[in-house]
């Protein structure tokens, strides 16, 4: 898998030259939690990010085969966060009120995971279908009466659904489009499956927030693209669609929700031009901006490792909180193993009693956090900080301190 650092990489959207600006080194699969038996065969690839000269899309320079990431044992369960459950109930309600009002409406979700959004559709009696290649989480959705096809969404599978079930009024994807290198096939699938007036909505971590917050941990195998309004608009136009609305979202450390329609089918809102103007004023996709982001990443690595080494020298107990996919990038890039962070607490059953990818830090159940409280907790799930700090108030009351590394290393 690992190619030479200086090989020319072509853009997965337009074929242009991709200019690498950040090298995060050898990395394991971010969501592959291991048992002792798995350690010998662990898969590694080279994680680096570049930007296309042609269409401005920011993307990984190396692609991990999708079957290695999305399979029966994919551990991420979307419903683990109460904030995210509310978030998806809200967008479902909006679709029900504004897009799914005709006779026999049909909604399709790409990457429905455990059914966190489609649950609302099922409860409202709306015809729906989720595409979910990871059969373990798909089964969790199905057990709640949600209709799921255990498949990758792409041109062939989308066309099969159109033939069997007709076209969809809404196609929705959260935290999934950025996972899919083969977007051309996805757009051909959307073209086959979406009604003439239908809307294709997706939301993903936003390059603008990643740069502003130096949140380099948003970069890992599954996050193949770091979208901006400019790059999404260019991709949409290339594939026959138009960007007709955008919304900034606070979840997952800052995202944008993109609304796409067939060219000419809907009038773009002023929010699109506004965000595009903001991106050009900030020179968001200038290579100089991206290179200075990379300098900021090096600074975070130096500060975080210096802090953890100092705490170890002082004999402090440090544990991690949230065995996120993001934390694979941080621990492997910064060289953080069990000697610096004794274990990581996490609510996900499929991660508990396993070792984190690459650095092999033990993952323990969330209840172990208080047994006894550590001196410091490194908050890997910083995107859920409000929810987590609210439920772990006793930790701070007992004198515990949180370590955060976004937007810079600090202690609260
Ligand atoms: N939508 C949920 C959310 O926002 O919490 C789940 C997001 S999860 C990070 C990404 C999901 O996309 C995984 O469940 C994965 O199996 C699924 N996925 C990956 N590639 C896909 C594809 N081509 N079509 C449909 N789902 C895909
Ligand atoms: P995410 O940042 O990709 O959503 O992953 C969040 C991880 O953190 C996931 O493994 C679940 C875990 N988690 C907890 O352990 N406790 C919590 O309260 C929350 C919200 C998440
Ligand atoms: Zn390109």
């Amino acid at each position: 898998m690992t190619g030479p650092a200086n090989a020319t990489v072509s853009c997965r959207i337009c074929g242009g030259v991709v200019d690498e600006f950040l090298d995060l080194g050898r990395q394991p699969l971010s969501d592959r939690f291991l048992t002792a038996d798995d350690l010998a065969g662990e898969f590694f690839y080279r994680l680096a990010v570049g930007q296309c000269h042609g269409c401005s899309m920011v993307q990984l320079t190396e692609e991990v085969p999708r079957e290695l990431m999305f399979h029966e044992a994919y551990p991420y369960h979307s419903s683990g966060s109460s904030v995210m459950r509310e978030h998806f109930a809200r967008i479902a309600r909006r679709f029900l009120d504004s897009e799914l009002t005709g006779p026999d409406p049909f909604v399709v979700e790409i990457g429905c995971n455990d059914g966190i959004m489609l649950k609302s559709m099922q409860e409202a009696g709306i015809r729906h279908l989720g595409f979910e290649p990871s059969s373990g989480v798909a089964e969790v959705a199905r057990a709640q009466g949600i209709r799921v096809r255990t498949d990758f969404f792409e041109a062939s599978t989308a066309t099969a659904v159109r033939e069997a079930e007709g076209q969809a009024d809404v196609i929705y994807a959260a935290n999934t489009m950025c996972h899919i290198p083969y977007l051309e096939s996805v757009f051909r699938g959307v073209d086959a499956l979406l009604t003439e007036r239908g809307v294709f909505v997706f939301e993903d971590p936003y390059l603008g927030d990643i740069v502003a917050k130096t949140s380099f941990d948003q970069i890992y195998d599954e996050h193949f693209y770091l979208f901006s309004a400019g790059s999404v608009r260019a991709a949409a136009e290339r594939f026959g669609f138009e960007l007709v609305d955008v919304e900034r979202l606070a979840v997952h450390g800052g995202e944008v929700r993109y609304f796409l329609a067939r060219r000419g089918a809907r009038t773009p809102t002023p929010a699109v031009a506004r965000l595009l103007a903001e991106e050009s004023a900030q020179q968001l996709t200038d290579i100089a901006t991206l290179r200075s982001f990379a300098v900021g990443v090096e600074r975070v690595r130096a500060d975080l490792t210096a802090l953890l080494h100092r705490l170890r020298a002082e004999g402090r107990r440090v544990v991690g909180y949230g065995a996120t996919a993001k934390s694979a990038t941080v621990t492997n890039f910064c060289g953080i193993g069990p000697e610096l962070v004794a274990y990581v607490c996490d609510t996900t059953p499929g991660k508990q009693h396993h070792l984190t990818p690459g650095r092999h830090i033990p993952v323990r159940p969330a209840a172990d956090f208080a047994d006894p409280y550590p001196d410091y907790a490194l908050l890997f799930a910083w995107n859920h900080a409000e929810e987590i700090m609210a439920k772990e108030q006793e930790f701070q009351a007992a004198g515990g301190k949180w370590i955060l590394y976004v937007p810079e290393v600090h202690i609260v």
Side-chain angles (χ1 to χ4, degrees), residues 307-308 310-311 314 316-321 369 373-380 389 392-404 410-412:
L307 173 63
L308 293 175
R310 176 168 70 73
L311 293 175
E314 290 172 359
R316 308 286 185 190
R317 279 185 65 238
V318 181
V319 310
Y321 200 111
F369 186 54
Y373 283 127
D375 300 309
Y376 290 84
L378 178 53
L379 187 54
F380 289 125
M389 287 183 183
E392 299 290 2
Q393 285 176 20
E394 278 183 32
F395 167 57
Q396 277 181 297
K401 293 196 162 39
W402 293 102
I403 300 171
L404 287 114
H410 60 289
I411 292 174
V412 293

Side-chain angles (χ1 to χ4, degrees), residues 38 84 99 242 256 326:
D38 301 324
M84 294 314 296
E99 302 288 343
E242 196 173 358
V256 168
K326 292 184 286 295

Side-chain angles (χ1 to χ4, degrees), residues 70-254:
F70 309 118
H71 45 66
E72 198 271 331
Y74 183 68
Y76 184 72
H77 287 238
S78 301
S79 294
S81 156
S82 60
V83 169
M84 294 314 296
R85 289 198 298 274
E86 281 164 33
H87 173 82
F88 289 115
R90 257 197 315 276
I91 185 66
R93 172 53 43 209
R94 275 176 60 189
F95 288 146
L96 288 168
D97 291 345
S98 61
E99 302 288 343
L100 301 170
T101 53
D104 190 26
F106 182 34
V107 56
V108 168
E109 184 175 10
I110 306 175
C112 69
N113 199 272
D114 60 9
I116 189 167
M117 194 288 284
L118 285 181
K119 181 102 196 93
S120 298
M121 298 300 170
Q122 187 255 348
E123 285 169 358
I126 295 290
R127 200 154 60 87
H128 63 272
L129 180 68
F131 275 82
E132 181 45 72
S134 299
S135 58
V137 288
E139 202 44 52
V140 175
R142 224 176 265 120
Q144 301 168 74
I146 295 163
R147 286 191 64 233
V148 186
R149 180 179 170 123
T150 307
D151 240 333
F152 290 96
F153 186 98
E154 57 194 328
S156 59
T157 53
T159 305
V161 168
R162 180 213 161 115
E163 281 163 9
E165 311 196 29
Q167 288 181 308
D169 304 279
V170 172
I171 300 179
Y172 177 65
N175 306 299
T176 300
M177 281 293 278
C178 76
H179 292 52
I180 309 182
Y182 45 98
L183 281 188
E184 197 221 329
S185 177
V186 169
F187 272 98
R188 277 193 283 122
V190 172
D191 188 29
L193 194 52
L194 193 68
T195 60
E196 285 312 302
R197 292 266 317 137
V199 67
F200 174 33
V201 182
F202 58 91
E203 57 195 65
D204 288 284
Y206 178 48
L207 180 68
D209 287 300
I210 293 168
V211 167
K213 296 177 188 171
T214 321
S215 45
F216 66 97
D217 58 346
Q218 293 284 12
I219 303 164
Y220 52 92
D221 53 354
E222 295 172 20
H223 285 183
F224 188 83
Y225 293 112
L226 307 182
F227 292 141
S228 60
S231 65
V232 165
R233 184 179 63 160
E237 284 175 0
R238 191 172 187 86
F239 302 129
F241 290 83
E242 196 173 358
L243 180 60
V244 294
D245 201 6
V246 287
E247 288 171 3
R248 304 269 312 242
L249 306 173
V251 294
H252 286 314

